[in-house]
C-alpha cells in the first residue's frame, strides 16, 4: 500500500505548477490580506513558497525522509508575515488551503485500485501539515515577541527622554510612536506598600501595571508612554486625556490589588520641554496624597494644594493665590472672608464688623466654598484661604 501511495503522489508531482497557481488563487479569494500584498510578492515569493510546500509533501509521500531544512523557508515566510503585521490566523489558514488543494488533486488522480491508499495519504498529510503549522506558529510568535519587545523598549526610551528633557523625536519617528504637543503626566504609587513600592519588582505590581497599560490604550489620540524606573512609575498621556479623568479614576480604582491601592499624582505640561517639571510635580502630589491616606484615584495640584505649598519649594504660590480668583468680581465675598478671619472665625463679630446679619455671613461663606472649593468654615479650608489672601496681598504690594 505504501508503494501505491508513493506512485500516486509521484504522478501528482507533475502538476506542482498548476496546483501552486490554484492554491494562490484560492488563498487570495479567501484571505484579503494576501490579495493586498505587492504584485511581485504575490507572483514570485508566495508562488515559490506554494510550490515548495506542495512538492515537499508529495516527495515525503513518495518516501523522502523529513528534514528540518525543509521547514526553513516556512519559518522565514512566517517571520516576514509577522513583521508585516498579518494576523497569525490568516497565515495558518493559507497552509490549510494548500492541504485542501493537494488533497483534491490526490483524489482526482487516484485510480479505482488506488483508493485504498488515500487514508494513508490523508494521515501523512495531516502529520506533515501539523509539522509545518507548528514551525510556522513558533517562528511567527518569536518574531512578534521580538517586535513587541523592541517597540516596548522604544516606548520606554521615548518616555525616558521626555522625562529627562532630552530629544525624543528621532526614536519616536523611527518606531512610529506619535508624540503629543503636551502631556498629562502621572506618577503612580502603590499606597501602603512602602516608599519604594512603585519601583519594586513584585509580581502583584507587575500584574497591576499590565492591567493599567492595557486600560490606558485609547486615552487621547497618541499612545500612552509608561516608564518604570528607580524613581517610580511614570505615565505620559496626550493632554486630551485630562478631559477623561473620571475614566482614569475608575481604571486606577479598580486596578489595586495585593500591590495596594493605586494613587496617581497628575500634572499637565504646557508642551514637551516642561515634561520633567510636570513629572516632579506629579510625584510630589502622589506622595502627599499617599501620606494623607487618600483613597485610590487621581490627584491634581488643587486636590492637595495647601499641603503641597507648605511642604516644599514655593513653586505653588501662584496656584494658592489663584484659589480666590473666582471671588474677583464679588468684593463683598472677599471682604466677608477677611472679616471672618480677622474675627478668629467668629461669625457674629465678623457680621458686626461688616454691619450685616450673621446669617448673611453664613450665606456668603457657603458661597465662597462653592465658588472656590475651599470652605473657610473648615480647618483645611481656612488655612488655604488665609494663605491665598496673604499671597494676594504680597503680589499686590510687589
Amino acid at each position: 500500500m505504501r508503494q501505491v501511495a508513493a506512485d500516486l503522489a509521484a504522478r501528482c508531482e507533475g502538476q506542482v505548477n498548476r496546483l501552486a497557481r490554484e492554491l494562490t488563487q484560492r488563498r487570495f479569494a479567501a484571505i484579503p490580506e494576501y490579495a493586498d500584498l505587492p504584485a511581485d510578492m504575490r507572483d514570485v515569493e508566495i508562488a515559490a513558497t506554494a510550490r515548495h510546500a506542495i512538492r515537499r509533501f508529495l516527495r515525503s509521500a513518495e518516501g523522502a525522509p523529513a528534514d528540518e531544512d525543509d521547514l526553513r523557508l516556512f519559518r522565514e515566510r512566517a517571520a516576514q508575515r509577522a513583521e508585516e503585521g498579518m494576523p497569525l490566523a490568516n497565515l495558518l489558514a493559507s497552509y490549510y488551503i494548500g492541504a485542501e488543494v493537494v488533497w483534491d488533486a490526490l483524489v482526482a488522480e487516484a485510480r479505482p485500485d488506488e483508493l485504498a491508499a488515500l487514508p494513508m495519504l490523508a494521515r501523512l498529510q495531516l502529520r506533515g501539515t501539523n509539522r509545518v503549522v507548528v514551525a510556522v506558529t513558533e517562528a511567527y510568535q518569536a518574531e512578534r515577541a521580538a517586535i513587541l519587545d523592541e517597540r516596548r523598549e522604544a516606548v520606554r526610551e521615548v518616555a525616558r527622554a521626555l522625562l529627562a528633557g532630552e530629544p525624543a523625536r528621532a526614536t519616536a519617528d523611527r518606531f512610529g510612536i506619535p508624540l503629543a504637543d503636551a502631556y498629562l503626566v502621572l506618577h503612580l504609587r502603590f499606597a501602603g506598600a512602602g516608599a519604594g513600592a512603585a519601583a519594586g519588582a513584585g509580581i502583584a505590581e507587575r500584574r497591576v501595571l499590565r492591567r493599567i497599560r492595557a486600560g490606558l490604550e485609547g486615552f487621547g489620540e497618541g499612545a500612552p508612554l509608561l516608564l518604570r524606573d528607580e524613581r517610580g512609575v511614570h505615565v505620559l498621556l496626550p493632554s486630551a486625556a485630562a478631559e477623561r479623568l473620571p475614566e482614569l479614576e475608575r481604571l486606577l480604582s479598580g486596578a489595586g490589588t495585593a500591590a495596594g491601592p493605586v494613587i496617581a499624582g497628575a500634572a499637565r505640561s504646557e508642551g514637551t520641554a516642561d515634561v520633567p517639571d510636570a513629572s516632579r510635580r506629579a510625584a510630589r502630589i502622589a506622595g502627599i496624597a499617599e501620606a494623607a491616606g487618600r483613597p485610590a484615584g487621581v490627584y491634581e495640584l488643587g486636590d492637595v494644594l495647601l499641603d503641597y505649598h507648605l511642604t516644599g519649594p514655593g513653586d505653588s504660590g501662584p496656584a494658592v493665590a489663584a484659589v480666590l480668583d473666582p471671588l474677583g468680581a464679588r468684593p463683598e465675598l472677599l471682604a466677608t472672608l477677611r472679616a471672618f478671619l480677622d474675627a478668629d472665625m467668629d461669625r457674629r463679630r465678623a457680621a458686626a464688623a461688616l454691619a450685616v446679619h450673621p446669617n448673611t455671613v453664613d450665606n456668603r461663606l457657603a458661597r465662597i466654598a462653592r465658588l472656590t472649593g475651599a470652605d473657610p468654615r473648615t480647618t483645611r479650608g481656612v488655612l488655604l484661604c488665609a494663605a491665598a489672601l496673604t499671597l494676594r496681598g504680597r503680589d499686590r504690594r510687589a
Side-chain angles (χ1 to χ4, degrees):
M1 192 60 64
R2 178 76 189 192
Q3 186 58 49
V4 175
D7 292 343
L8 176 54
R11 292 203 307 276
C12 287
E13 192 170 349
Q15 305 175 40
V16 166
N17 289 336
R18 178 187 67 77
L19 294 176
R21 287 193 298 272
E22 183 179 346
L23 191 163
T24 54
Q25 288 168 1
R26 288 196 197 181
R27 179 184 289 169
F28 296 156
I31 307 173
E33 284 80 359
Y34 274 97
D36 293 338
L37 292 172
D40 59 338
M41 187 180 296
R42 294 198 312 268
D43 298 340
V44 179
E45 179 183 301
I46 302 298
T49 306
R51 288 192 296 272
H52 175 76
I54 295 169
R55 189 173 286 114
R56 175 188 172 279
F57 166 71
L58 293 175
R59 288 182 178 174
S60 68
E62 293 171 44
D67 188 340
E68 276 299 314
D69 194 53
D70 288 343
L71 301 176
R72 180 180 55 80
L73 181 62
F74 301 133
R75 293 181 186 278
E76 290 175 357
R77 294 293 181 260
Q80 286 177 276
R81 300 295 88 82
E83 186 177 11
E84 293 157 4
M86 175 176 286
L88 177 59
N90 290 348
L91 176 61
L92 296 181
S94 71
Y95 285 96
Y96 288 107
I97 291 172
E100 182 180 300
V101 167
V102 173
W103 179 250
D104 289 345
L106 290 169
V107 171
E109 184 67 26
R111 298 166 183 159
D113 60 337
E114 295 175 323
L115 294 179
L118 290 178
M120 176 182 291
L121 288 168
R123 189 176 298 109
L124 289 172
Q125 188 175 44
L126 285 173
R127 291 174 180 172
T129 301
N130 181 70
R131 187 163 173 259
V132 170
V133 164
V134 169
V136 165
T137 301
E138 289 174 347
Y140 182 98
Q141 291 177 330
E143 183 65 20
R144 289 302 299 171
I147 291 170
L148 184 58
D149 286 346
E150 187 177 26
R151 181 172 177 81
R152 283 181 176 170
E153 181 54 38
V155 167
R156 287 192 287 267
E157 184 56 38
V158 169
R160 189 179 296 112
L162 289 170
L163 289 164
E166 299 171 354
R169 174 64 63 184
T171 301
D173 288 349
R174 187 164 69 252
F175 289 92
I177 300 170
L179 290 181
D181 294 330
Y183 285 93
L184 174 68
V185 183
L186 305 178
H187 183 92
L188 307 186
R189 296 178 72 93
F190 297 95
I203 294 175
E205 291 180 24
R206 290 199 294 272
R207 288 176 178 169
V208 170
L209 289 178
R210 281 197 295 270
R211 195 178 310 146
I212 291 173
R213 181 187 288 111
L216 288 175
E217 293 293 342
F219 269 76
E221 295 181 0
L225 304 176
L226 191 147
L227 175 68
R228 182 179 186 168
D229 62 14
E230 66 282 356
R231 294 174 295 157
V233 178
H234 316 272
V235 179
L236 278 67
L237 299 171
S239 57
E243 300 172 4
R244 300 169 63 182
L245 283 182
E247 294 176 59
L248 197 53
E249 286 266 9
R250 288 193 293 272
L251 171 64
L252 296 181
S253 296
T257 55
V262 181
I263 287 178
R268 310 181 194 206
S269 74
E270 297 296 326
T272 56
D274 63 330
V275 165
D277 290 337
S279 178
R280 284 188 285 271
R281 288 197 304 276
R284 190 169 153 200
I285 291 167
I288 291 170
E290 181 186 17
R294 299 288 186 92
V298 182
Y299 296 90
E300 294 190 272
L301 180 59
D303 300 317
V304 295
L305 185 53
L306 182 62
D307 307 74
Y308 188 100
H309 184 66
L310 295 176
T311 58
D315 62 339
S316 55
V320 174
V323 166
L324 299 181
D325 282 354
L327 308 184
R330 303 293 298 274
E332 77 281 5
L333 296 184
L334 277 173
T336 299
L337 178 60
R338 289 192 182 95
F340 184 65
L341 296 178
D342 289 342
D344 290 330
M345 295 171 287
D346 185 320
R347 56 189 284 276
R348 293 187 180 279
R349 286 173 52 196
L354 294 167
V356 298
H357 193 279
N359 287 346
T360 301
V361 173
D362 288 338
N363 291 335
R364 289 178 180 178
L365 293 176
R367 200 169 298 125
I368 290 169
R370 287 196 301 272
L371 291 172
T372 66
D375 190 342
R377 297 164 297 182
T378 65
T379 301
R380 184 170 295 276
V382 78
L383 290 172
L384 182 54
C385 288
L389 280 173
T390 300
L391 289 169
R392 289 168 72 89
R394 182 196 66 182
D395 291 344
R396 283 198 299 272
R397 290 192 300 274

